Amino acid sequence: MAEVWEGWFTVGIVFVAFGCLLWDVIQPDHVMIGAVAVLMAAGVVSVEEGLAGFANEGLLTVAVLFVVAAGISATGGLDWYMSKLLGHPTTIAGAQLRLMIPIAVVSAFLNNTPVVAVMIPIVQRWAENIHIPKEQVMIPLSFASILGGTCTLIGTSTNLVVLGMLKDWKGSDGSSETKQSMGLFDLGLFGVPVAMTGITYMLIASRALLPGGKKKGEAGAGGGGGRGGAGGG
């Protein structure tokens, strides 16, 4: 039976960690490891429980894919292919659509975190080349990857973590011997409609909600010379 103080102590650590993340006081990885270390030092969780997450299949999969992402980013191996795939759209909506559809499809079969890590420098260079505000494509890149990841079991590390917990689950009474599992496309029944809805919403609302809603130079061309003609954004 857990002591009462342990619950309040954990709540306090969570609030401190959240504050550090919110105000960017410490790097996120240091915050998370530090919070776990404090809980282990206080005896709220055992050393075995605190380190169990590092042996999770989902976490190890993400770690390996980050190595792949770093290699691709360093060598520029995807730049030529992505430039051909993304093309040279002339409008913000066209750029977002050309970006979000392939990213959502790829993220359904590759973990979305390394996909975004690989694509960030590519998308930044692409946005500069086609003179589209980067603010209008970075959030769609992130959200399209998240939405695509909900369509399959391997699309996001969260799904893999839940799968591992599901396999270990022994029923509400802890005595069930029935093995629980989840198919690769079982989540698609809900994930695909949600992804399509999310992409449609971003296409409609992004220009109003994200910075740089007017394409660079658009204001200058319409207003003739003013501020847009001086600096192009």
Side-chain angles (χ1 to χ4, degrees):
M1 186 72 178
E3 299 289 341
V4 175
W5 71 268
E6 293 181 351
W8 288 109
F9 183 79
T10 303
V11 170
I13 293 298
V14 170
F15 274 106
V16 171
F18 183 77
C20 292
L21 293 172
L22 183 63
W23 285 289
D24 200 21
V25 178
I26 310 174
Q27 293 183 9
D29 53 338
H30 294 171
V31 174
M32 297 303 178
I33 293 177
V36 172
V38 171
L39 291 174
M40 288 192 296
V44 177
V45 297
S46 65
V47 175
E48 292 78 10
E49 291 171 335
L51 299 179
F54 293 100
N56 185 275
E57 294 179 4
L59 178 64
L60 295 177
T61 301
V62 173
V64 171
L65 288 175
F66 263 118
V67 176
V68 177
I72 293 174
S73 179
T75 60
L78 283 179
D79 284 20
W80 186 84
Y81 299 99
M82 292 309 300
S83 64
K84 295 297 182 183
L85 178 63
L86 296 176
H88 200 283
T90 57
T91 63
I92 291 177
Q96 291 172 341
L97 189 61
R98 293 288 293 267
L99 174 66
M100 288 190 291
I101 295 298
I103 291 300
V105 173
V106 170
S107 295
F109 299 97
L110 293 176
N111 191 277
N112 56 7
T113 306
V115 167
V116 173
V118 169
M119 289 301 300
I120 284 175
I122 296 175
V123 171
Q124 286 178 329
R125 290 191 291 269
W126 174 65
E128 291 175 356
N129 291 336
I130 63 175
H131 308 294
I132 293 289
K134 288 182 284 188
E135 297 89 340
Q136 285 287 319
V137 291
M138 299 308 289
I139 288 296
L141 165 64
S142 176
F143 279 40
S145 178
I146 294 171
L147 292 168
T150 64
C151 297
T152 66
L153 183 62
I154 60 175
T156 176
S157 56
T158 309
N159 295 349
L160 296 174
V161 171
V162 171
L163 177 63
M165 297 175 64
L166 182 63
K167 288 182 176 178
D168 295 336
W169 190 59
K170 296 184 178 180
S172 56
D173 57 358
S175 61
S176 175
E177 297 297 328
T178 303
K179 294 295 183 181
Q180 305 291 334
S181 187
M182 190 184 302
L184 178 63
F185 296 104
D186 286 355
L187 296 176
L189 179 63
F190 309 98
V192 172
V194 169
M196 294 175 64
T197 303
I199 289 174
T200 302
Y201 174 76
M202 280 188 284
L203 288 172
I204 296 172
S206 62
R207 294 194 66 166
L209 298 178
L210 297 178
K214 286 190 175 182
K215 186 180 168 184
K216 289 182 180 179
E218 210 171 83
R227 198 173 63 183

